[in-house]
Short mmCIF file of all heavy atoms in Angstrom, two decimals:
data_model
loop_
_atom_site.label_atom_id
_atom_site.label_comp_id
_atom_site.label_asym_id
_atom_site.label_seq_id
_atom_site.Cartn_x
_atom_site.Cartn_y
_atom_site.Cartn_z
N MET A 1 10.29 -15.46 13.29
CA MET A 1 10.32 -14.11 12.77
C MET A 1 11.22 -13.27 13.72
O MET A 1 10.97 -13.22 14.90
CB MET A 1 8.91 -13.54 12.72
CG MET A 1 8.84 -12.12 12.20
SD MET A 1 7.19 -11.47 12.47
CE MET A 1 6.16 -12.81 12.01
N GLU A 2 12.21 -12.62 13.15
CA GLU A 2 13.15 -11.81 13.97
C GLU A 2 12.73 -10.37 13.92
O GLU A 2 12.43 -9.81 12.89
CB GLU A 2 14.58 -11.98 13.42
CG GLU A 2 15.61 -11.40 14.36
CD GLU A 2 16.96 -11.66 13.85
OE1 GLU A 2 17.14 -12.57 13.02
OE2 GLU A 2 17.92 -11.00 14.30
N ARG A 3 12.77 -9.70 15.09
CA ARG A 3 12.36 -8.33 15.14
C ARG A 3 13.36 -7.50 15.93
O ARG A 3 14.13 -8.00 16.73
CB ARG A 3 10.98 -8.18 15.81
CG ARG A 3 9.91 -9.05 15.16
CD ARG A 3 8.60 -8.96 15.92
NE ARG A 3 7.63 -9.82 15.36
CZ ARG A 3 6.33 -9.49 15.21
NH1 ARG A 3 5.91 -8.30 15.58
NH2 ARG A 3 5.52 -10.30 14.60
N VAL A 4 13.30 -6.19 15.69
CA VAL A 4 14.09 -5.22 16.45
C VAL A 4 13.14 -4.40 17.25
O VAL A 4 12.16 -3.82 16.69
CB VAL A 4 14.95 -4.37 15.53
CG1 VAL A 4 15.68 -3.34 16.36
CG2 VAL A 4 15.91 -5.22 14.77
N ASN A 5 13.33 -4.28 18.58
CA ASN A 5 12.41 -3.56 19.46
C ASN A 5 11.00 -4.08 19.36
O ASN A 5 10.03 -3.39 19.45
CB ASN A 5 12.43 -2.07 19.19
CG ASN A 5 13.80 -1.46 19.43
OD1 ASN A 5 14.53 -1.91 20.28
ND2 ASN A 5 14.16 -0.36 18.71
N SER A 6 10.87 -5.41 19.07
CA SER A 6 9.58 -6.12 18.98
C SER A 6 8.73 -5.63 17.83
O SER A 6 7.56 -5.91 17.82
CB SER A 6 8.80 -5.99 20.30
OG SER A 6 9.64 -6.53 21.34
N THR A 7 9.26 -4.80 16.92
CA THR A 7 8.41 -4.33 15.85
C THR A 7 9.03 -4.47 14.49
O THR A 7 8.40 -4.99 13.57
CB THR A 7 8.13 -2.80 16.05
OG1 THR A 7 9.33 -2.10 16.19
CG2 THR A 7 7.27 -2.59 17.28
N LEU A 8 10.27 -4.09 14.27
CA LEU A 8 10.82 -3.99 12.93
C LEU A 8 11.65 -5.25 12.61
O LEU A 8 12.43 -5.69 13.42
CB LEU A 8 11.71 -2.72 12.79
CG LEU A 8 10.99 -1.40 13.05
CD1 LEU A 8 11.98 -0.26 12.86
CD2 LEU A 8 9.81 -1.24 12.15
N LEU A 9 11.44 -5.71 11.35
CA LEU A 9 12.14 -6.90 10.91
C LEU A 9 13.63 -6.58 10.61
O LEU A 9 13.93 -5.47 10.22
CB LEU A 9 11.45 -7.40 9.63
CG LEU A 9 10.06 -7.90 9.75
CD1 LEU A 9 9.50 -8.21 8.32
CD2 LEU A 9 9.96 -9.12 10.60
N THR A 10 14.47 -7.56 10.85
CA THR A 10 15.86 -7.44 10.49
C THR A 10 16.25 -8.36 9.38
O THR A 10 17.39 -8.31 8.88
CB THR A 10 16.79 -7.74 11.71
OG1 THR A 10 16.54 -9.03 12.15
CG2 THR A 10 16.47 -6.73 12.86
N GLU A 11 15.33 -9.24 8.96
CA GLU A 11 15.62 -10.14 7.86
C GLU A 11 14.31 -10.58 7.18
O GLU A 11 13.21 -10.45 7.74
CB GLU A 11 16.39 -11.37 8.34
CG GLU A 11 15.57 -12.27 9.29
CD GLU A 11 16.38 -13.46 9.73
OE1 GLU A 11 17.63 -13.37 9.83
OE2 GLU A 11 15.75 -14.49 10.11
N PHE A 12 14.44 -11.03 5.97
CA PHE A 12 13.33 -11.58 5.23
C PHE A 12 13.65 -13.00 4.76
O PHE A 12 14.81 -13.44 4.66
CB PHE A 12 13.07 -10.74 3.93
CG PHE A 12 12.61 -9.31 4.24
CD1 PHE A 12 13.51 -8.27 4.23
CD2 PHE A 12 11.29 -9.07 4.54
CE1 PHE A 12 13.13 -6.99 4.49
CE2 PHE A 12 10.85 -7.76 4.79
CZ PHE A 12 11.80 -6.75 4.79
N ILE A 13 12.61 -13.78 4.50
CA ILE A 13 12.76 -15.09 3.97
C ILE A 13 12.12 -15.16 2.60
O ILE A 13 10.93 -14.87 2.40
CB ILE A 13 12.12 -16.17 4.86
CG1 ILE A 13 12.81 -16.20 6.24
CG2 ILE A 13 12.12 -17.57 4.19
CD1 ILE A 13 12.13 -17.11 7.24
N LEU A 14 12.96 -15.42 1.54
CA LEU A 14 12.47 -15.50 0.22
C LEU A 14 11.90 -16.91 -0.04
O LEU A 14 12.60 -17.89 0.06
CB LEU A 14 13.59 -15.20 -0.77
CG LEU A 14 14.26 -13.82 -0.61
CD1 LEU A 14 15.45 -13.70 -1.59
CD2 LEU A 14 13.27 -12.71 -0.89
N THR A 15 10.61 -16.95 -0.32
CA THR A 15 9.97 -18.24 -0.55
C THR A 15 10.43 -18.95 -1.85
O THR A 15 10.29 -20.15 -2.06
CB THR A 15 8.45 -18.20 -0.50
OG1 THR A 15 8.02 -17.31 -1.53
CG2 THR A 15 7.98 -17.59 0.82
N GLY A 16 10.96 -18.14 -2.79
CA GLY A 16 11.40 -18.66 -4.07
C GLY A 16 10.29 -19.02 -4.97
O GLY A 16 9.11 -18.60 -4.87
N ILE A 17 10.59 -19.93 -5.90
CA ILE A 17 9.58 -20.42 -6.86
C ILE A 17 9.17 -21.80 -6.47
O ILE A 17 9.96 -22.61 -5.96
CB ILE A 17 10.11 -20.42 -8.30
CG1 ILE A 17 11.40 -21.22 -8.44
CG2 ILE A 17 10.34 -18.96 -8.74
CD1 ILE A 17 11.94 -21.25 -9.86
N THR A 18 7.89 -22.19 -6.70
CA THR A 18 7.47 -23.49 -6.34
C THR A 18 7.97 -24.53 -7.35
O THR A 18 8.03 -24.21 -8.59
CB THR A 18 5.92 -23.52 -6.28
OG1 THR A 18 5.39 -23.10 -7.54
CG2 THR A 18 5.44 -22.63 -5.17
N TYR A 19 8.28 -25.73 -6.91
CA TYR A 19 8.81 -26.72 -7.83
C TYR A 19 8.60 -28.09 -7.15
O TYR A 19 8.58 -28.20 -5.90
CB TYR A 19 10.31 -26.51 -8.11
CG TYR A 19 11.14 -26.55 -6.86
CD1 TYR A 19 11.79 -27.75 -6.47
CD2 TYR A 19 11.33 -25.42 -6.04
CE1 TYR A 19 12.54 -27.81 -5.33
CE2 TYR A 19 12.14 -25.49 -4.96
CZ TYR A 19 12.73 -26.70 -4.60
OH TYR A 19 13.50 -26.74 -3.44
N PRO A 20 8.52 -29.16 -7.94
CA PRO A 20 8.47 -30.52 -7.39
C PRO A 20 9.78 -30.85 -6.69
O PRO A 20 10.87 -30.57 -7.23
CB PRO A 20 8.23 -31.38 -8.60
CG PRO A 20 7.77 -30.47 -9.67
CD PRO A 20 8.37 -29.18 -9.40
N LEU A 21 9.72 -31.43 -5.52
CA LEU A 21 10.95 -31.76 -4.79
C LEU A 21 11.93 -32.64 -5.59
O LEU A 21 13.12 -32.55 -5.43
CB LEU A 21 10.62 -32.38 -3.43
CG LEU A 21 9.98 -31.45 -2.37
CD1 LEU A 21 9.63 -32.21 -1.13
CD2 LEU A 21 10.92 -30.32 -2.09
N ARG A 22 11.35 -33.52 -6.40
CA ARG A 22 12.25 -34.43 -7.14
C ARG A 22 13.12 -33.67 -8.18
O ARG A 22 14.12 -34.24 -8.68
CB ARG A 22 11.37 -35.45 -7.89
CG ARG A 22 10.49 -34.93 -8.95
CD ARG A 22 9.66 -36.05 -9.60
NE ARG A 22 8.80 -35.57 -10.71
CZ ARG A 22 7.60 -35.05 -10.54
NH1 ARG A 22 7.10 -34.96 -9.30
NH2 ARG A 22 6.89 -34.63 -11.58
N LEU A 23 12.73 -32.41 -8.44
CA LEU A 23 13.55 -31.67 -9.41
C LEU A 23 14.54 -30.68 -8.76
O LEU A 23 15.16 -29.93 -9.40
CB LEU A 23 12.58 -30.83 -10.32
CG LEU A 23 11.62 -31.61 -11.22
CD1 LEU A 23 10.73 -30.65 -12.03
CD2 LEU A 23 12.41 -32.51 -12.16
N ARG A 24 14.67 -30.79 -7.42
CA ARG A 24 15.50 -29.89 -6.68
C ARG A 24 16.95 -29.82 -7.21
O ARG A 24 17.48 -28.83 -7.61
CB ARG A 24 15.56 -30.27 -5.19
CG ARG A 24 16.40 -29.28 -4.34
CD ARG A 24 16.73 -29.95 -3.01
NE ARG A 24 15.51 -30.24 -2.27
CZ ARG A 24 14.97 -29.43 -1.39
NH1 ARG A 24 15.52 -28.24 -1.16
NH2 ARG A 24 13.88 -29.76 -0.74
N THR A 25 17.59 -31.05 -7.38
CA THR A 25 18.97 -31.07 -7.83
C THR A 25 19.06 -30.64 -9.29
O THR A 25 19.98 -29.88 -9.64
CB THR A 25 19.48 -32.54 -7.72
OG1 THR A 25 19.39 -32.96 -6.35
CG2 THR A 25 20.94 -32.59 -8.18
N PHE A 26 18.07 -31.04 -10.10
CA PHE A 26 18.11 -30.64 -11.53
C PHE A 26 18.04 -29.16 -11.68
O PHE A 26 18.84 -28.53 -12.45
CB PHE A 26 16.93 -31.31 -12.28
CG PHE A 26 16.72 -30.75 -13.66
CD1 PHE A 26 17.51 -31.14 -14.72
CD2 PHE A 26 15.71 -29.79 -13.89
CE1 PHE A 26 17.34 -30.60 -15.97
CE2 PHE A 26 15.53 -29.26 -15.15
CZ PHE A 26 16.33 -29.66 -16.19
N LEU A 27 17.10 -28.50 -10.94
CA LEU A 27 16.97 -27.06 -11.09
C LEU A 27 18.22 -26.33 -10.52
O LEU A 27 18.61 -25.30 -11.08
CB LEU A 27 15.71 -26.60 -10.30
CG LEU A 27 14.39 -27.03 -10.94
CD1 LEU A 27 13.22 -26.72 -10.03
CD2 LEU A 27 14.22 -26.38 -12.29
N PHE A 28 18.78 -26.81 -9.48
CA PHE A 28 20.03 -26.19 -8.96
C PHE A 28 21.09 -26.24 -10.00
O PHE A 28 21.76 -25.22 -10.28
CB PHE A 28 20.49 -26.89 -7.69
CG PHE A 28 21.74 -26.34 -7.08
CD1 PHE A 28 21.68 -25.24 -6.22
CD2 PHE A 28 22.97 -26.86 -7.44
CE1 PHE A 28 22.84 -24.71 -5.69
CE2 PHE A 28 24.18 -26.29 -6.91
CZ PHE A 28 24.05 -25.23 -6.07
N VAL A 29 21.32 -27.40 -10.59
CA VAL A 29 22.34 -27.55 -11.61
C VAL A 29 22.02 -26.72 -12.86
O VAL A 29 22.89 -26.10 -13.48
CB VAL A 29 22.54 -29.04 -12.01
CG1 VAL A 29 23.50 -29.19 -13.17
CG2 VAL A 29 23.07 -29.82 -10.83
N PHE A 30 20.75 -26.69 -13.20
CA PHE A 30 20.31 -25.93 -14.40
C PHE A 30 20.63 -24.44 -14.23
O PHE A 30 21.20 -23.82 -15.09
CB PHE A 30 18.80 -26.11 -14.60
CG PHE A 30 18.21 -25.24 -15.68
CD1 PHE A 30 18.38 -25.60 -17.02
CD2 PHE A 30 17.46 -24.10 -15.34
CE1 PHE A 30 17.84 -24.76 -18.02
CE2 PHE A 30 16.90 -23.29 -16.34
CZ PHE A 30 17.11 -23.63 -17.68
N PHE A 31 20.20 -23.84 -13.08
CA PHE A 31 20.49 -22.42 -12.89
C PHE A 31 21.94 -22.12 -12.64
O PHE A 31 22.45 -21.04 -12.98
CB PHE A 31 19.61 -21.88 -11.77
CG PHE A 31 18.18 -21.64 -12.18
CD1 PHE A 31 17.16 -22.47 -11.81
CD2 PHE A 31 17.82 -20.54 -13.01
CE1 PHE A 31 15.85 -22.28 -12.17
CE2 PHE A 31 16.54 -20.34 -13.35
CZ PHE A 31 15.55 -21.21 -13.00
N LEU A 32 22.69 -23.10 -12.12
CA LEU A 32 24.14 -22.96 -11.95
C LEU A 32 24.78 -22.84 -13.35
O LEU A 32 25.64 -21.97 -13.59
CB LEU A 32 24.71 -24.12 -11.17
CG LEU A 32 26.25 -24.09 -11.04
CD1 LEU A 32 26.70 -22.85 -10.27
CD2 LEU A 32 26.72 -25.41 -10.34
N LEU A 33 24.34 -23.71 -14.26
CA LEU A 33 24.85 -23.68 -15.58
C LEU A 33 24.46 -22.38 -16.32
O LEU A 33 25.28 -21.77 -17.05
CB LEU A 33 24.38 -24.90 -16.41
CG LEU A 33 24.96 -26.23 -16.04
CD1 LEU A 33 24.29 -27.37 -16.80
CD2 LEU A 33 26.50 -26.26 -16.32
N ILE A 34 23.19 -21.94 -16.08
CA ILE A 34 22.74 -20.68 -16.70
C ILE A 34 23.66 -19.55 -16.22
O ILE A 34 24.04 -18.68 -17.01
CB ILE A 34 21.26 -20.44 -16.29
CG1 ILE A 34 20.32 -21.33 -17.09
CG2 ILE A 34 20.90 -18.97 -16.58
CD1 ILE A 34 20.14 -21.02 -18.50
N TYR A 35 23.94 -19.54 -14.91
CA TYR A 35 24.73 -18.47 -14.41
C TYR A 35 26.18 -18.51 -14.95
O TYR A 35 26.69 -17.45 -15.37
CB TYR A 35 24.79 -18.54 -12.85
CG TYR A 35 25.63 -17.49 -12.22
CD1 TYR A 35 25.24 -16.19 -12.20
CD2 TYR A 35 26.86 -17.85 -11.62
CE1 TYR A 35 26.00 -15.20 -11.61
CE2 TYR A 35 27.65 -16.85 -11.03
CZ TYR A 35 27.20 -15.53 -11.05
OH TYR A 35 28.04 -14.59 -10.46
N ILE A 36 26.76 -19.66 -14.94
CA ILE A 36 28.16 -19.81 -15.46
C ILE A 36 28.24 -19.39 -16.93
O ILE A 36 29.10 -18.59 -17.31
CB ILE A 36 28.67 -21.22 -15.21
CG1 ILE A 36 28.85 -21.50 -13.74
CG2 ILE A 36 30.08 -21.40 -15.95
CD1 ILE A 36 29.24 -22.94 -13.40
N LEU A 37 27.29 -19.89 -17.74
CA LEU A 37 27.31 -19.63 -19.15
C LEU A 37 26.97 -18.10 -19.42
O LEU A 37 27.53 -17.54 -20.36
CB LEU A 37 26.27 -20.52 -19.87
CG LEU A 37 26.62 -22.00 -19.87
CD1 LEU A 37 25.48 -22.79 -20.55
CD2 LEU A 37 27.94 -22.23 -20.70
N THR A 38 26.12 -17.56 -18.59
CA THR A 38 25.87 -16.09 -18.71
C THR A 38 27.14 -15.27 -18.51
O THR A 38 27.41 -14.37 -19.29
CB THR A 38 24.79 -15.66 -17.67
OG1 THR A 38 23.56 -16.34 -18.00
CG2 THR A 38 24.55 -14.18 -17.76
N GLN A 39 27.87 -15.57 -17.43
CA GLN A 39 29.07 -14.84 -17.16
C GLN A 39 30.15 -15.04 -18.29
O GLN A 39 30.73 -14.13 -18.76
CB GLN A 39 29.64 -15.30 -15.79
CG GLN A 39 28.74 -15.05 -14.62
CD GLN A 39 28.32 -13.67 -14.43
OE1 GLN A 39 29.16 -12.73 -14.42
NE2 GLN A 39 27.01 -13.38 -14.32
#
């Protein structure tokens, strides 16, 4: 955890959505296609 003056955060970590690890590549490609087709 990173802090400024030992109190205030300078960054956050987004935990994202939970998913089975075996679907990591599929979900990346899926949302990449969703993004490209949306644009």
Side-chain angles (χ1 to χ4, degrees):
M1 180 191 318
E2 189 176 344
R3 306 175 182 220
V4 176
N5 297 329
S6 301
T7 55
L8 300 181
L9 298 173
T10 61
E11 65 181 28
F12 295 98
I13 296 174
L14 302 175
T15 61
I17 57 178
T18 57
Y19 62 93
L21 288 178
R22 66 179 182 276
L23 297 179
R24 182 196 298 268
T25 302
F26 168 78
L27 289 172
F28 179 86
V29 173
F30 174 76
F31 282 105
L32 176 61
L33 289 175
I34 287 287
Y35 178 70
I36 293 173
L37 292 175
T38 296
Q39 300 302 310

